[in-house]
Amino acid sequence: MTEPLLVDRTDAVVTLTLNRPQAMNALDVALKEALRDTLAELETDRSCRAVVLAGAGGSFSAGQDLREHVSTLENGSNDPLGTVRVHYNPIAARLANLPKPVVAAVRGMAAGAGASLAFLADIRIGGPSTSFLMAFAKVGLAADTGASWTLPRLVGHAKAVELLMLAEPVRAEEACRLGLLTRLEDDDEQVLPAAQELAARLAAGPTVAYGAIKRQLSIADAGTLADALSAEAQAQAICGATADHKAATLAFVAKQKPVFEGH
């Protein structure tokens, strides 16, 4: 049986590949559970210092597997969208709060929850075929998998309303201009290698500081200046006690290149 999620480890970089190419990597229960549980394991895995999220074949992810969802609806479930609480919310929380950098290699279509997954990454790299589609309203649904939180932060409130309500595709160049993509490669074949190269660079950096930066920005986005200042003080107390901070400071004074160990 083919694994729904491929997990590849290269040094300190873990690449998670959504592996249902025959279905455009649509998210069925098996894939959602594998992604949720693997992310939970990576939270405390000190050998992993950066994560790449990718899709097999020519697509990133078409979002929820609607064929599977139809059977749920036809079976008369009292909670047909229970997958949001059971799968999508935990996946979104774990991606957003993962204390290490996440790079999304977005090749081809990213639709619905698939687009939402990409938006939860810290950095998104695409190619000429990349496109995003906030497809939820097309099937009578509101946003999920964190899109109501990430999208306004990436493109602003007014544009988020437009993308979610009109549900029109956003092609690669426009996505880059809006901030849905961080970087746009000239060749689709370079999307995954570029993401893995960047992840390797981040994996060689100050992992604790990266995690603290993610927490700071999350708090500052929704909070006051006082909240941000408090988060900064807490983050610097944590980072200041790391071996990486001490070693890097000594290296700077000695005019040497620092080597970060991630702790």
Side-chain angles (χ1 to χ4, degrees):
M1 180 179 177
T2 303
E3 294 294 327
L5 181 71
L6 302 180
V7 181
D8 174 76
R9 292 175 178 267
T10 302
D11 299 323
V13 176
V14 175
T15 299
L16 304 179
T17 303
L18 310 177
N19 189 38
R20 301 187 69 223
Q22 75 285 357
M24 295 179 66
N25 302 314
L27 298 154
D28 66 355
V29 169
L31 178 51
K32 287 181 285 191
E33 289 182 345
L35 182 58
R36 178 196 62 193
D37 296 345
T38 301
L39 288 170
E41 294 171 4
L42 293 178
E43 284 180 6
T44 55
D45 183 352
R46 292 186 63 177
S47 70
C48 168
R49 294 173 61 187
V51 173
V52 173
L53 186 62
S59 300
F60 183 73
S61 174
Q64 170 64 36
D65 187 331
L66 292 181
R67 292 182 183 276
E68 183 182 74
H69 185 56
V70 163
S71 66
T72 302
L73 295 173
E74 291 179 339
N75 289 337
S77 170
N78 292 326
D79 189 15
L81 269 298
T83 186
V84 172
R85 288 187 298 276
V86 175
H87 301 115
Y88 288 125
N89 283 357
I91 289 170
R94 284 168 180 161
L95 268 177
N97 297 319
L98 200 68
K100 51 203 76 180
V102 179
V103 182
V106 191
R107 179 175 172 178
M109 173 61 74
S116 300
L117 290 178
F119 299 155
L120 288 160
D122 302 303
I123 296 173
R124 293 161 300 282
I125 297 178
S129 73
T130 299
S131 63
F132 294 99
L133 177 63
M134 304 313 295
F136 301 102
K138 285 183 175 292
V139 290
L141 292 175
D144 63 34
T145 321
S148 65
W149 185 82
T150 57
L151 200 55
R153 286 163 172 75
L154 291 171
V155 301
H157 180 90
K159 192 66 178 181
V161 170
E162 177 186 335
L163 294 178
L164 286 166
M165 289 191 176
L166 299 184
E168 295 174 344
V170 181
R171 307 299 179 189
E173 290 190 1
E174 177 70 359
C176 197
R177 187 186 70 80
L178 289 173
L180 298 178
L181 287 175
T182 311
R183 182 187 302 176
L184 183 59
E185 297 293 321
D186 294 331
D187 183 351
D188 287 324
E189 296 299 321
Q190 292 303 311
V191 172
L192 181 57
Q196 291 175 322
E197 180 181 352
L198 180 56
R201 173 183 166 186
L202 291 166
T207 309
V208 176
Y210 290 152
I213 288 168
K214 292 176 68 167
R215 288 192 297 274
Q216 283 180 326
L217 294 176
S218 176
I219 291 168
D221 274 341
T224 63
L225 173 60
D227 294 329
L229 293 175
S230 177
E232 288 177 357
Q234 182 182 35
Q236 295 299 53
I238 293 170
C239 294
T242 62
D244 276 348
H245 167 64
K246 182 177 180 179
T249 302
L250 293 174
F252 179 84
V253 172
K255 297 183 179 179
Q256 297 173 347
K257 184 177 179 180
V259 176
F260 295 103
E261 301 293 339
H263 56 84

